[in-house]
Amino acid sequence: CYDEGKRAAEALIADYHRLHGLDTRVARIFNTYGPGMDPEDGRVVSNFITQALRGEAMTFYGDGAQTRSFCHVRDMVRGLLALGTQDGLAGEIVNLGNPVEITVRRLGEMVAAALGQPLRIELRPAAVDDPRQRRPDISRAGRLLGWAPEVPLAEGLGDTIGHFREALSLA
């Protein structure tokens, strides 16, 4: 349903551009994280940080070998502003995300290391429809916007952890 909803929305937006000349632009946003996230939003970055801060084991759905890529909110905002403000982009659809892949296990290790804790995990079965790999192709964003992510994951996790400590009153 999630994927189909996004495709339907893009089709409607493309039709408004084609039929009514509306200046539309679509950003396909991939795995954004950073300060301002809700610690309880259920995504893997927030889950791992929140669990580790509470002294709990990190929940891995599957074996942790599946890959993901994470884009810091500062990079995402830069990409969205570029897409929304540059001339000549009416009707464009652009992927915004970070193409650097890491395994879910490596993400857990990075969170644990940033907190100075040993990695503790609890394995659970993977969701049936969980993809093994998620990595955006951002070549159009580079070509059309001159955009690429800049914030390294280790740096972004540090400021996200700081935000979560405050949000969870663990500062």
Side-chain angles (χ1 to χ4, degrees):
C1 291
Y2 179 71
D3 293 338
E4 290 303 317
K6 290 190 298 185
R7 274 191 280 276
E10 283 187 16
L12 289 171
I13 291 167
D15 278 347
Y16 265 81
H17 172 70
R18 185 176 51 80
L19 296 172
H20 303 291
L22 188 65
D23 181 357
T24 63
R25 296 134 194 254
V26 172
R28 290 180 179 156
I29 297 172
F30 289 78
N31 287 350
T32 307
Y33 75 99
M37 289 180 79
D38 179 350
E40 305 298 333
D41 77 359
R43 291 183 284 168
V44 66
V45 170
S46 52
N47 285 352
F48 283 4
I49 294 172
T50 299
Q51 289 170 331
L53 285 172
R54 291 179 174 156
E56 301 168 357
M58 294 178 203
T59 306
F60 283 28
Y61 292 93
D63 60 6
Q66 63 272 40
T67 64
R68 299 293 182 263
S69 56
F70 302 97
C71 187
H72 192 274
V73 66
R74 287 193 314 256
D75 288 328
M76 185 58 64
V77 168
R78 278 189 316 97
L80 291 169
L81 286 172
L83 179 60
T85 60
Q86 288 187 24
D87 292 331
L89 297 178
E92 293 292 346
I93 299 173
V94 177
N95 292 340
L96 296 175
N98 190 329
V100 176
E101 286 179 278
I102 67 164
T103 64
V104 170
R105 179 177 193 81
R106 179 69 186 126
L107 175 66
E109 292 167 351
M110 290 177 74
V111 169
L115 291 168
Q117 299 177 355
L119 177 64
R120 293 180 38 234
I121 61 174
E122 177 184 328
L123 294 176
R124 294 200 183 154
V128 175
D129 59 351
D130 188 40
R132 295 291 300 164
Q133 177 184 33
R134 284 194 194 139
R135 179 180 179 262
D137 176 352
I138 62 166
S139 56
R140 286 178 57 82
R143 191 172 66 254
L144 295 174
L145 310 174
W147 177 89
E150 298 173 354
V151 178
L153 183 57
E155 177 186 327
L157 287 175
D159 64 15
T160 305
I161 288 168
H163 162 73
F164 277 39
R165 277 192 169 121
E166 289 180 26
L168 297 169
S169 299
L170 300 171

